[in-house]
Amino acid sequence: MSVPRDAHTPTTAVVLAGGTGQRVGLSIPKQLLKIAGKAVIEHTLAIFEQSESVDDIIVLMAPGFVPDVEKIVAKAGFTKVSKVIEGGGTRNETTERAIEVLGEGLAEGEDRNLLFHDAVRPLLSQHVITHCVEALQRYQAVDVAIPSADTIIVTRTHGEDGEFITDIPDRSRLRRGQTPQAFKLSTIRRAYEAAAKDPNFQATDDCSVVLKYLPDVPVHVVAGDEYNMKVTQPVDVFIADKLFQLASTAAPAQADEAAYRDLLSGKTMVVFGGSYGIGADIAQMAEGYGATVYALGRSTTGTHVEKPEEVDEALSKAYADTGRIDYVVNTAGVLRIGKLAETDTATIQEALNVNYLAPVQIARASYKYLVESKGQLLLYTSSSYTRGRAEYSLYSSTKAAMVNLTQALADEWAGEGIRVNCVNPERTATPMRTKAFGEEPAGSLLSSEAVARTSLDVLLSELTGHVIDVRQQDPTAGASSASGFEQALAAVLDRHGDV
C-alpha cells in the first residue's frame, strides 16, 4: 500500500550497517552474514526497495566494507540505493554523517522524511514502514516498539555478592524499542545540533536524542512486530534463518478482470498436472483471459512428468507453436499413505519420481525458455513441509524439497530475470485428496478454483523465491489481541495438521 505524501517531502530509508559482528563471533560484519541464501543486508535493502512509501535509500556501512555492499546492490539491481558510505565509530556519529549527507543540496525550508533502520533487522514488515511514514504526516519524531513480554528488573551490584533487584517497573507500560526510527530531517538535525553543545552527550538511539534535547517535540510510537528481530547473538542467526524458511507471502490480487486479460493475453503457459484439479482450473482460467495454454496430464494427453523426454517434448511443442513460453506450472503429484517400513520399493520410487525428480527435470527443461521470456516457474508444496508427519514421510519430505528447490532456483536464476515461486494450499478438494481420504465434510476444504486464482496472481506478480499460503480463512482474523509473532506461530502450528 502506498502512502499519500506531500510531493515536497520525499522519504529516505537510512540503513545503518556499522556493526562489526563481534558478538556473533564473526570476522566480517554481521550484516554480511548469509541467511536464507542472501546477506542479511540484502534482505533488509530489498524490503525498502519494494516499499512504495520509500523514495530512496542510503547505506552507512562499517569502514572497509563499502565495496562489499556496492557489489550486493549492483547484483540485486536495487535502483533506490543512491549512496553507500562509511559510517562513524558510534551509532550517533553514523547518524550525524547521514544527516550531513542528506542535508546537502536542500533548499531553505525544504525537508525530508528519514527512516533510520538497523541493517541487521532483515524481517521488517511493509506495514510498519507504511505506518511510520503516515505518522510523519502529523509528528516530527516516531519510534517503533512492541509490548514487553518479559518482566523487566532493575538491579544493583553489591561487590562480590553479585546483583540484587532494586525495582520492578510496571510491565504494562514497558515497550521494546525497534527500528525504523522516523524523523523529519529538520527535527533530527536540530536535536543533534543541540546535543553537540553537551560535553557529556551519549545515546544509544536517535529517539533518545530528540527526547532529551528537544523536550517539546513529542515522539509518537508506532506498533512494531515480533518478527522484526535484531540479529545480534549467535542464536539470532539460527532463529532468523528459520523464520525466513517458514515465512509465507500473500500474492497481490489483480485490480479487476480486465487486468487479468491485459496481462495474460498473448502469453503462453504450460501446465503439467493439468488433467484435473488445481492444474485444470489454472489452465481454464488462463485460457479464458487470452493465454495460450498447454494443459498436460497422464489421463488427458498421456504426458508422464516422470519421463524427461516427454517433458522436453511438451515444452518444445509449445515453443514451436507459439514462439514463447512465459509460465511453466507443475501441479502433478502423488499421495500414498502408509508406514515407510511397510512401503514397497515401487511405491517409493513412484513418489520420488513424480514428486521430486519430475519437478527438477521440469525446471531444467524450462530454463532456456524462461530465460528468453523472463518468465516464471510455479511449483506446489503442502503444509506438511514444515514438519514431516507419520505415514506421510515420502509425501511431506518431497514437498519440503519443493520449498528448498524454489528458494534455491529463485536465487540461482535471479540474474537471468526468471521468477520461481511455490504455492502452499491448505487442505484442498481435489481428486487426489478424495482418493486418499474419501469424502470429507462440505465446506472443510479449499476449492481448487480458489487455489487456481491465487496461482494466477502469483504468476502475474513480481514475487520470486516465496512460499505463498492459500487458506480458507485468515488465521489472524479476530485475534488482534495476540502479537504478530504469536499469530504467525499459531498459523505454522495449524499448518502441521494439514496435508
Side-chain angles (χ1 to χ4, degrees):
M1 180 178 67
S2 60
V3 177
R5 286 172 285 134
D6 187 325
H8 299 292
T9 312
T11 298
T12 298
V14 181
V15 176
L16 304 170
T20 60
Q22 291 179 348
R23 277 183 283 184
V24 290
L26 299 173
S27 59
I28 61 171
K30 55 195 172 184
Q31 53 271 25
L32 295 179
L33 178 70
K34 284 199 171 183
I35 291 178
K38 297 179 182 178
V40 171
I41 194 170
E42 183 174 350
H43 288 294
T44 304
L45 291 173
I47 295 166
F48 291 110
E49 179 77 18
Q50 294 160 12
S51 173
E52 295 182 19
S53 301
V54 172
D55 297 293
D56 67 318
I57 306 164
I58 70 167
V59 182
L60 287 97
M61 186 59 187
F65 292 93
V66 167
D68 296 83
V69 177
E70 290 175 336
K71 288 177 184 176
I72 289 171
V73 169
K75 183 178 179 182
F78 293 140
T79 59
K80 289 185 180 180
V81 178
S82 58
K83 291 183 177 69
V84 181
I85 59 179
E86 285 194 354
T90 66
R91 167 65 179 265
N92 300 132
E93 288 177 11
T94 298
T95 296
E96 288 178 300
R97 288 193 182 183
I99 292 171
E100 181 182 357
V101 167
L102 291 167
E104 294 173 355
L106 283 185
E108 186 175 349
E110 192 176 356
D111 213 346
R112 297 185 76 87
N113 295 330
L114 304 187
L115 304 180
F116 290 96
H117 186 68
D118 297 325
V120 288
R121 292 186 186 270
L123 289 155
L124 174 65
S125 300
Q126 290 291 342
H127 71 85
V128 174
I129 298 174
T130 301
H131 292 161
C132 284
V133 177
E134 286 176 340
L136 283 176
Q137 295 178 2
R138 183 174 179 183
Y139 304 101
Q140 299 176 53
V142 178
D143 201 0
V144 172
I146 58 175
S148 175
D150 298 315
T151 296
I152 305 298
I153 63 174
V154 179
T155 68
R156 179 176 295 172
T157 302
H158 291 274
E160 297 179 356
D161 293 332
E163 289 184 302
F164 294 84
I165 294 176
T166 60
D167 190 22
I168 302 178
D170 179 5
R171 191 174 70 184
S172 67
R173 299 181 59 195
L174 296 177
R175 300 292 182 268
R176 290 159 50 199
Q178 300 181 331
T179 62
Q181 291 188 331
F183 309 93
K184 293 293 185 183
L185 171 58
S186 57
T187 300
I188 192 66
R189 180 166 50 193
R190 192 157 53 92
Y192 269 91
E193 286 172 351
K197 300 173 184 176
D198 181 357
N200 299 314
F201 167 60
Q202 56 179 346
T204 57
D205 72 295
D206 298 311
C207 280
S208 63
V209 179
V210 173
L211 193 66
K212 182 174 182 179
Y213 296 100
L214 299 180
D216 294 334
V217 175
V219 180
H220 180 69
V221 178
V222 163
D225 190 334
E226 286 280 2
Y227 263 98
N228 188 18
M229 63 177 291
K230 188 175 183 180
V231 179
T232 303
Q233 304 295 338
V235 69
D236 299 333
V237 177
F238 173 80
I239 293 172
D241 195 66
K242 288 301 177 185
L243 288 175
F244 271 110
Q245 181 184 8
L246 295 174
S248 59
T249 304
Q254 297 306 309
D256 52 34
E257 295 289 293
Y260 287 102
R261 284 190 291 273
D262 182 56
L263 292 168
L264 285 167
S265 181
K267 299 296 177 65
T268 299
M269 180 184 297
V270 178
V271 181
F272 293 98
S275 295
Y276 54 78
I278 297 169
D281 289 334
I282 292 172
Q284 184 178 0
M285 285 183 186
E287 202 164 42
Y289 290 125
T292 301
V293 182
Y294 293 80
L296 308 161
R298 183 178 303 186
S299 60
T300 51
T301 61
T303 304
H304 296 72
V305 292
E306 66 271 30
K307 296 182 178 180
E309 65 276 10
E310 295 187 12
V311 170
D312 288 338
E313 182 182 348
L315 291 168
S316 179
K317 182 181 186 311
Y319 186 80
D321 290 349
T322 66
R324 62 187 300 135
I325 296 178
D326 301 278
Y327 309 110
V328 177
V329 180
N330 179 49
T331 65
V334 293
L335 172 58
R336 302 288 184 257
I337 302 172
K339 296 178 179 178
L340 184 61
E342 299 170 3
T343 304
D344 59 67
T345 301
T347 301
I348 293 173
Q349 195 61 54
E350 177 195 39
L352 293 176
N353 286 343
V354 176
N355 292 347
Y356 180 67
L357 294 178
V360 169
Q361 172 57 22
I362 289 169
R364 290 181 69 234
S366 301
Y367 173 79
K368 63 181 179 182
Y369 303 111
L370 297 177
V371 163
E372 186 176 309
S373 65
K374 307 299 181 188
Q376 182 175 165
L377 171 67
L378 186 61
L379 303 174
Y380 288 76
T381 186
S382 156
S383 51
S384 62
Y385 86 87
T386 57
R387 181 180 174 85
R389 297 180 59 205
E391 299 191 14
Y392 300 96
S393 58
L394 293 172
Y395 185 76
S396 59
S397 60
T398 54
K399 289 304 178 181
M402 288 305 96
V403 173
N404 278 270
L405 182 64
T406 295
Q407 294 166 338
L409 290 181
D411 287 348
E412 195 171 311
W413 293 353
E416 282 85 2
I418 303 174
R419 287 160 289 131
V420 187
N421 289 295
C422 191
V423 170
N424 176 32
E426 68 173 348
R427 297 184 304 260
T428 306
T430 64
M432 183 182 77
R433 183 175 179 87
T434 301
K435 183 178 179 180
F437 297 101
E439 293 295 330
E440 298 176 84
S444 65
L445 303 177
L446 266 174
S447 70
S448 59
E449 293 87 356
V451 179
R453 174 65 65 177
T454 297
S455 299
L456 278 190
D457 291 334
V458 175
L459 289 169
L460 298 178
S461 75
E462 293 302 314
L463 296 175
T464 189
H466 289 277
V467 177
I468 296 90
D469 280 349
V470 189
R471 304 178 66 79
Q472 274 191 295
Q473 184 177 348
D474 181 357
T476 65
S480 58
S481 60
S483 71
F485 181 77
E486 289 167 338
Q487 294 169 5
L489 180 60
V492 169
L493 294 173
D494 183 52
R495 285 205 296 265
H496 292 168
D498 300 337
V499 175

